[in-house]
Amino acid sequence: MRSVSGRVIQVETATGSSFAVKFGNPSAPLAREVATLRFLANAACPVPFVIATDLTNEDPAWLATEWAGTRTLDAFLGECDGQESEDTGLRLSDAVGQIERAFAQVTQRGVPDAARAMALELFEPWATHAVDGLAWLFSIEVTERWHTVMARVFKTVLGAPLTVGPLDYHASNVVVGDLDPSLTLVDLGAIGYDWPGRRFAQYAISVQSGVPRGEFRTALTPASVTQFARHLVDIHGGDLASRINEVDAHSLMIAAIAATQLRIVEVGEASAERTVGWGAAETRRTSLRRVVLRTLTGDGPANEIRGLLARS
């Protein structure tokens, strides 16, 4: 047995096969995750197959699933080359798109007003600091033009419809296969309403927390963004250009949030956990600039922001 995290262990049998065991606790029960994994597996989504659960309890004390692999996407993006990263982004767009399609039947029932209000409430503080975060990252002076274009970014983000899907989305919850580059999405206990472009963009960014001289990396490319946008059009409708700009706007906002958090680390106001996890701030700052400046679309407000940054 090998500890993977505080709640997960890997068990390897005498015959060489492996499986994962996840333990529940009162603040993170497993019943919903078991139901979600079975639902998604039945829809042929790239999630771990449920082998067994503790059937003696109404809420399982443990959950055993197939072993997806030892490498997270967060770690993998720090090791692979440009072509591997681009190919991985395409696979990720398909994986997240499959889950989006599986939950579409729930999304079609309508988005509760309370869910929309909660999403806006969580987004507002980051939108407030987005301009300052990017200005700090690139050491530039904020102009009225900046605020005008960023307002268009916010409008693009907020104009996109919410859908049902995972809420715990980040690159450490995507596992790369040990023997092949297949991707598996894990930790699916929290399901709710959010922007699909935000899910995909945040799944795709590696923060390498706790890695000495860790860098930000991204699997997003024009091809993967366009491919995911096509999935959204096929599943939910809309025009392709708007969907592409939607994903791009969310990718820029996630980078702006990272810049804001990195600035807090640099001035010594971050939590102890974040300060330790995001050490070597200048290395991170340089790599985050590269992530922000990566062109993902041919137009749209996020791309216009990149143009302003490139000319600064």
Side-chain angles (χ1 to χ4, degrees), residues 56-74:
T56 61
N57 295 309
E58 181 176 339
D59 193 87
W62 53 265
L63 160 67
T65 68
E66 66 176 328
W67 181 249
T70 57
R71 298 175 297 176
T72 66
L73 180 59
D74 188 73

Side-chain angles (χ1 to χ4, degrees), residues 293-309:
L293 291 175
R294 177 179 287 191
T295 300
L296 300 175
T297 63
D299 57 13
N303 204 50
E304 191 171 349
I305 287 292
R306 293 190 188 94
L308 293 174
L309 290 170

Side-chain angles (χ1 to χ4, degrees), residues 22-88:
K22 185 173 185 177
F23 298 95
N25 59 49
S27 63
L30 292 176
R32 176 175 291 183
E33 184 162 7
V34 171
T36 298
L37 287 174
R38 285 174 170 162
F39 167 75
L40 293 175
N42 191 53
C45 293
V47 299
F49 176 77
V50 175
I51 298 172
T53 63
D54 176 12
L55 299 179
T56 61
N57 295 309
E58 181 176 339
D59 193 87
W62 53 265
L63 160 67
T65 68
E66 66 176 328
W67 181 249
T70 57
R71 298 175 297 176
T72 66
L73 180 59
D74 188 73
F76 181 73
L77 289 177
E79 303 166 355
C80 63
D81 59 27
Q83 186 60 54
E84 285 179 309
S85 176
E86 183 169 348
D87 293 343
T88 300

Side-chain angles (χ1 to χ4, degrees), residues 161 229-230 232-244 246:
R230 285 200 179 96
L232 294 181
V233 171
D234 290 343
I235 298 166
H236 303 296
D239 67 276
L240 182 61
S242 296
R243 289 294 192 179
I244 290 173
E246 167 191 334

Side-chain angles (χ1 to χ4, degrees), residues 8-242:
V8 179
I9 62 172
Q10 177 190 5
V11 179
E12 187 170 331
T13 70
T15 58
S17 62
S18 292
F19 60 92
V21 178
K22 185 173 185 177
F23 298 95
N25 59 49
S27 63
L30 292 176
R32 176 175 291 183
E33 184 162 7
V34 171
T36 298
L37 287 174
R38 285 174 170 162
F39 167 75
L40 293 175
N42 191 53
C45 293
V47 299
F49 176 77
V50 175
I51 298 172
T53 63
D54 176 12
L55 299 179
T56 61
N57 295 309
E58 181 176 339
D59 193 87
W62 53 265
L63 160 67
T65 68
E66 66 176 328
W67 181 249
T70 57
R71 298 175 297 176
T72 66
L73 180 59
D74 188 73
F76 181 73
L77 289 177
E79 303 166 355
C80 63
D81 59 27
Q83 186 60 54
E84 285 179 309
S85 176
E86 183 169 348
D87 293 343
T88 300
L90 291 170
R91 282 190 291 272
L92 181 65
S93 72
D94 284 339
V96 180
Q98 284 178 269
I99 290 180
E100 186 75 23
R101 186 178 297 277
F103 280 119
Q105 57 185 289
V106 185
T107 298
Q108 289 167 3
R109 299 173 188 169
V111 179
D113 291 340
R116 178 75 179 177
M118 176 62 73
L120 294 175
E121 181 181 341
L122 294 174
F123 178 81
E124 183 178 7
W126 295 117
T128 301
H129 298 289
V131 172
D132 290 337
L134 289 173
W136 167 82
L137 183 65
F138 286 88
S139 303
I140 62 173
E141 182 179 349
V142 175
T143 63
E144 188 61 33
R145 177 64 175 163
W146 257 89
H147 285 289
T148 299
V149 181
M150 281 301 293
R152 291 176 54 215
V153 173
F154 300 152
K155 183 178 180 180
T156 302
V157 166
L158 298 177
L162 299 173
T163 65
V164 175
L167 295 179
D168 191 7
Y169 42 80
H170 51 80
S172 290
N173 278 346
V174 180
V175 177
V176 182
D178 289 335
L179 301 178
D180 59 56
S182 62
L183 302 180
T184 304
L185 275 63
V186 299
D187 279 355
L188 295 164
I191 301 296
Y193 295 89
D194 213 321
W195 291 283
R198 177 181 174 87
R199 284 193 197 97
F200 174 55
Q202 192 154 318
Y203 267 132
I205 188 168
S206 166
V207 301
Q208 297 182 16
S209 182
V211 176
R213 299 185 64 80
E215 297 184 356
F216 292 96
R217 302 287 184 91
T218 179
L220 294 182
T221 63
S224 62
V225 167
T226 299
Q227 183 167 284
F228 185 71
R230 285 200 179 96
H231 286 308
L232 294 181
V233 171
D234 290 343
I235 298 166
H236 303 296
D239 67 276
L240 182 61
S242 296

